[in-house]
Amino acid sequence: MSDGDTSLNVSYTAFLGTRMVATGLLRHVMLNVKDSLDENERLQLLIFDDRTGKQIDVDIRGMAEDEWDQSGGQTGSLPDTVLNDELPRRAGRPKLGVVSGEVTLLPRHWEWLKSQPGGASVTLRKLIDEARRAGAEQNKARASQEAAYHFMTAMAGNFPQYEEALRLLYAGDNDRFFHSIREWAPDIRNYIQKLTVDAFSER
């Protein structure tokens, strides 16, 4: 398997040509396709990581079911717990999870912060939380776009409107993107819809 990923909690989807033949945990996917496909079909089978849209490399020929029972990531011991008295003491209100720090602002910034309900500290925390949420949404959208890109490159490179669909994907144009792939094979189209669930921000 590529990327050394042996997580048992990751979902995968298998395609035979343009037809989706199995989806779910890797063991489930492998056991479903192993005995139902002939040798030539297995060579044409492509399996994708549902998180990244990337194809994984797995050889299922001759594998027994009990081999999948034994698969999984290696476990290791957790690091020793650090005793409380070994932790450096920090200023603030540690029981509340509050830690003090230094912030340098211009006078007009301080004046605005102090005029906000709750004062400067409350306002700063709210602003930071909002920025973190916005950043998280942007990261989700980017990851969703990249997953769709990887899958489309592997499976739809010769499909009509392929390049236009990629452009619309990164432009964030939801309606026109799905319109551009409307003639693609249904299973391909449905999987792309699954991968792009976070790709388009609401407008």
Side-chain angles (χ1 to χ4, degrees):
M1 188 187 313
S2 65
D3 299 331
D5 186 359
T6 55
S7 171
L8 295 180
N9 296 319
V10 178
S11 178
Y12 296 85
T13 299
F15 280 86
L16 186 63
T18 61
R19 181 169 59 93
M20 191 271 286
V21 292
T23 188
L25 299 182
L26 183 59
R27 178 180 177 279
H28 166 81
V29 170
M30 302 305 293
L31 293 179
N32 269 271
V33 301
K34 178 180 178 295
D35 296 325
S36 62
L37 304 178
D38 61 31
E39 188 68 16
N40 289 333
E41 287 178 325
R42 290 181 188 178
L43 295 176
Q44 302 171 42
L45 185 73
L46 298 180
I47 301 176
F48 295 89
D49 185 325
D50 291 344
R51 301 166 305 170
T52 66
K54 292 182 179 180
Q55 180 185 345
I56 66 169
D57 185 16
V58 179
D59 185 2
I60 66 172
R61 290 171 295 179
M63 282 197 168
E65 181 170 341
D66 58 356
E67 289 181 272
W68 290 103
D69 289 333
Q70 299 168 9
S71 66
Q74 296 181 348
T75 59
S77 58
L78 294 174
D80 293 337
T81 303
V82 179
L83 298 178
N84 287 335
D85 58 3
E86 294 177 353
L87 295 173
R89 297 191 177 277
R90 307 181 70 175
R93 290 175 286 174
K95 290 184 179 180
L96 300 178
V98 177
V99 178
S100 67
E102 181 178 336
V103 176
T104 303
L105 299 173
L106 294 174
R108 67 175 181 273
H109 299 145
W110 283 117
E111 291 176 5
W112 181 83
L113 283 171
K114 292 176 182 178
S115 69
Q116 301 305 303
S121 295
V122 171
T123 302
L124 281 174
R125 288 197 290 269
K126 288 180 178 179
L127 291 172
I128 292 171
D129 286 341
E130 290 173 3
R132 290 179 62 188
R133 281 193 292 270
E137 290 300 318
Q138 291 175 353
N139 290 338
K140 284 174 60 178
R142 189 178 304 112
S144 188
Q145 289 172 340
E146 288 298 305
Y149 164 78
H150 291 304
F151 176 73
M152 290 166 62
T153 300
M155 294 292 290
N158 294 324
F159 284 14
Q161 300 266 49
Y162 164 74
E163 292 184 357
E164 175 67 3
L166 284 183
R167 186 186 70 79
L168 294 169
L169 171 68
Y170 283 105
D173 194 329
N174 189 344
D175 293 337
R176 293 180 63 197
F177 170 75
F178 286 107
H179 182 75
S180 70
I181 67 173
R182 70 190 186 283
E183 301 296 332
W184 293 8
D187 286 353
I188 299 288
R189 192 173 62 241
N190 291 341
Y191 189 62
I192 290 173
Q193 186 171 6
K194 175 180 178 179
L195 293 176
T196 56
V197 65
D198 295 315
F200 301 103
S201 59
E202 295 183 3
R203 299 181 179 221

